[in-house]
Amino acid sequence: MYSIKELRKQQYDYHKEKFPFLFDFKRNPNRFLKAPFYMETSALLVWLLLKTKIKPNTVTIYYGLAGIVTGILLSIPNNYTIFVALIIAFTKGILDWSDGHLARITGQTSLTGHILDVYGAHLNSLGLQIGLGLYVAA
C-alpha cells in the first residue's frame, strides 16, 4: 500500500518529467499556481481511491460529468448555483490528475481511458462555454 508521501512524490516526479516548465512562473503563471494544488489533492484522492474498488475510468467519467454539471449550474441565474459551478470548475482538475495516476499505479492504463480523458476535457470545455453563454444570455 502506498503512503500519501509516496503518491505525492510520484505525482511531482511524473509531471516534472513530462512538463519541464511546470514550475516556471514566468513561462506559465497559471499552471505554476494550480499544479501544486492539483498534485497535492489528487495524491490524497488517489490514496483514498486505492482503498476502494473504483476504477480509473470511473474517475474519468466523473470528470466529464463535472463539466456538464458546471454548465447546467452556470446557466441557472442564482448566486448559489453559480458559486457551486465555479467551485466545481476550479476543482474538477483534481479528478483529471487523479485518474491517470490511479491507472498508472494499479496497472490499468488503457486506450479507452485515454479516449475517455480526451472526451472528458472536451465535455468540460463545452460545459463551461455553453453555461457561460446561457448565463450571459439570461
Side-chain angles (χ1 to χ4, degrees):
M1 189 54 136
Y2 292 97
S3 70
I4 294 176
K5 185 176 182 178
E6 291 171 321
L7 293 170
R8 287 177 60 237
K9 183 176 180 345
Q10 289 174 359
Q11 279 283 52
Y12 278 92
D13 291 346
Y14 176 79
H15 286 97
K16 280 181 185 177
E17 181 181 323
K18 192 171 180 181
F19 307 106
F21 303 111
L22 186 64
F23 297 103
D24 185 356
F25 182 79
K26 288 183 180 181
R27 286 195 176 194
N28 197 343
N30 181 40
R31 180 65 59 129
F32 176 84
L33 295 172
K34 72 179 183 178
F37 171 70
Y38 286 159
M39 283 189 268
E40 296 290 335
T41 51
S42 70
L44 179 61
L45 181 60
V46 168
W47 181 75
L48 292 170
L49 290 172
L50 285 171
K51 299 173 184 279
T52 68
K53 294 183 180 184
I54 296 174
K55 305 282 187 211
N57 288 348
T58 306
V59 177
T60 308
I61 290 169
Y62 282 122
Y63 168 64
L65 291 174
I68 295 170
V69 170
T70 299
I72 291 169
L73 291 175
L74 276 176
S75 66
I76 300 170
N78 180 315
N79 288 340
Y80 296 111
T81 60
I82 292 168
F83 180 72
V84 171
L86 291 175
I87 288 175
I88 293 170
F90 286 112
T91 59
K92 69 182 181 268
I94 297 166
L95 295 172
D96 189 31
W97 286 57
S98 298
D99 60 357
H101 190 194
L102 183 63
R104 284 188 300 277
I105 64 175
T106 58
Q108 297 179 12
T109 57
S110 66
L111 179 60
T112 304
H114 175 70
I115 292 170
L116 283 173
D117 198 48
V118 171
Y119 279 112
H122 287 301
L123 280 174
N124 276 287
S125 179
L126 286 171
L128 184 65
Q129 292 172 9
I130 291 170
L132 284 174
L134 291 171
Y135 172 75
V136 171

